[in-house]
Amino acid sequence: MSFTRPTETSSPYVQLLIRALEEEGVEVHYLSWPALVTGRVRLLHIHWPETMLKRRTAIGRVANRAFMATLLMWARSGRTQVVRTVHNSVPHESPGRADRWLLGRLDAATHARIYLTAPATEAVGDSVVLPHAELGSWYVAQAAEPVPTPSAKGPDVLFFGLVRPYKGIEHLVRLADDAPDLTVRIIGAPADSALAELVDGAVSSHTNLSSELRHVPDPQLVAEIIRARLVVLPYEKFENSGAAALAMDLGVPVLVPACGPTRELQALFGPEWVHLYEPPLRADEVRRTIRGLVEAGSAQRPIVEVREWPHQAKVHIELYESVLG
């Protein structure tokens, strides 16, 4: 794997993937300078390649670029086969010119890809498309207290996850303004101070809007999600969403803008779990969705076989064997 040994703050996705692979008998190692320089890495599985170049200091960034150049040498020679999981078609943060060039060379040297959403262009090489795997089991296991039951005391509308510019936070602020009868809650660490100021300013002037702008511990996150009536993700750019998948894994439906990826999500989970709206987000649409959920009553989380980890591990192993074969 293209990262160091995971810690408790690492992505639940990669931790569950590693566990599923090991349960199938795969021995997972983590990338290091000695293993790469000596050419001992036969198969490298990359996640979020831009993070391989990020460091706080200039010296660290130069070292990481040298590391990437060495990897490219082995990949082009065929000594190291590269598999990449494409979590997003473009990075959330735009890298600099030198890093873009290196990432472009890495993309060209990649032998197979696992797409978590259907690619906009024709897939290259030995590639597969996999729906985002379930994450609910991870978060429930991290909860120190028993998982709460749904409560009417939770917010009508919840947004959670990293608060980034493309995620349409201003639409949730407008919703709180247009619908004083609906309670709206925003939780997650903001990407910049401007977003934090936008939310803080709105919270101070709306009694129906609350927020917690920080990384929320897993037990609290589970409780926040389960108590919400509806998770609303008004993204302006929607490819795949771990937040949407996690909400449904914990038994809470989502309301998302209608587009190609969200229609695929609805086909996978069902219209009772994935509710679509035509942008912009409107208060009457949110009210209608919540009213329908109240009338339908609660339901168990949707089980989708292709999202369960035994199936995900099987597909990964088959692709690894194909690339090495």
Side-chain angles (χ1 to χ4, degrees):
M1 295 290 172
S2 61
F3 39 77
T4 58
R5 185 174 296 276
T7 66
E8 61 182 15
T9 61
S10 299
S11 164
Y13 178 92
V14 297
Q15 301 206 53
L16 288 171
L17 172 61
I18 290 165
R19 180 189 303 171
L21 290 172
E22 289 178 338
E23 288 176 353
E24 294 296 327
V26 175
E27 187 176 337
V28 179
H29 297 265
Y30 305 98
L31 189 58
S32 66
W33 260 110
L36 182 65
V37 171
T38 56
R40 297 201 308 269
V41 180
R42 287 192 59 214
L43 175 66
L44 177 65
H45 188 162
I46 293 179
H47 300 263
W48 303 288
E50 63 277 7
T51 63
M52 299 173 69
L53 296 169
K54 290 179 68 174
R55 288 288 288 275
R56 292 182 181 275
T57 65
I59 293 176
R61 288 191 292 274
V62 169
N64 279 8
R65 287 167 184 165
F67 191 79
M68 180 72 76
T70 305
L71 168 60
L72 288 170
M73 177 186 70
W74 290 126
R76 286 196 298 264
S77 71
R79 184 75 173 264
T80 299
Q81 305 295 310
V82 176
V83 173
R84 177 189 167 192
T85 293
V86 183
H87 294 263
N88 302 90
S89 60
V90 295
H92 290 309
E93 284 85 23
S94 180
R97 182 180 300 177
D99 289 352
R100 282 201 305 271
W101 185 87
L102 283 168
L103 291 171
R105 302 289 74 73
L106 178 63
D107 196 50
T110 298
H111 301 90
R113 293 167 181 79
I114 298 169
Y115 294 93
L116 298 189
T117 185
T121 58
E122 185 177 352
V124 178
D126 294 328
S127 300
V128 295
V129 177
L130 265 180
H132 200 294
E134 71 85 16
L135 300 178
S137 59
W138 169 268
Y139 284 92
V140 170
Q142 304 310 303
E145 301 295 332
V147 176
T149 55
S151 168
K153 295 181 180 179
D156 296 310
V157 170
L158 174 69
F159 171 96
F160 68 93
L162 289 175
V163 180
R164 297 179 184 273
Y166 76 89
K167 291 188 175 181
I169 299 301
E170 63 275 11
H171 299 300
L172 294 169
V173 171
R174 190 177 305 116
L175 174 65
D177 193 46
D178 293 342
D181 55 314
L182 295 177
T183 52
V184 181
R185 183 158 174 78
I186 300 170
I187 59 175
D192 55 50
S193 59
L195 284 170
E197 290 171 3
L198 170 68
V199 176
D200 287 340
V203 168
S204 66
S205 59
H206 292 78
T207 58
N208 63 327
L209 177 63
S210 64
S211 69
E212 192 157 350
L213 299 183
R214 65 182 181 94
H215 173 74
V216 175
D218 291 344
Q220 180 185 344
L221 180 62
V222 171
E224 295 260 13
I225 295 171
I226 288 178
R227 290 191 176 114
R229 288 188 183 275
L230 177 68
V231 167
V232 179
L233 305 172
Y235 296 178
E236 295 171 359
K237 180 183 66 176
F238 203 112
E239 291 187 354
N240 68 77
S241 172
L246 176 57
M248 291 182 283
D249 286 339
L250 294 175
V252 180
V254 300
L255 178 64
V256 290
C259 61
T262 57
R263 290 188 178 94
E264 292 175 6
L265 202 64
Q266 188 182 67
L268 187 66
F269 282 94
E272 69 275 23
W273 289 99
V274 180
H275 300 263
L276 306 180
Y277 70 90
E278 294 294 336
L281 181 67
R282 296 181 300 278
D284 59 346
E285 186 75 44
V286 177
R287 290 193 188 98
R288 185 163 50 250
T289 302
I290 292 176
R291 190 163 52 245
L293 295 175
V294 172
E295 293 171 355
S298 60
Q300 297 296 318
R301 83 169 181 93
I303 303 296
V304 182
E305 183 183 1
V306 294
R307 297 184 63 247
E308 300 301 308
W309 284 105
H311 177 84
Q312 296 265 328
K314 178 184 176 183
V315 173
H316 279 75
I317 292 168
E318 289 175 350
L319 186 63
Y320 294 160
E321 291 174 342
S322 173
V323 169
L324 288 173

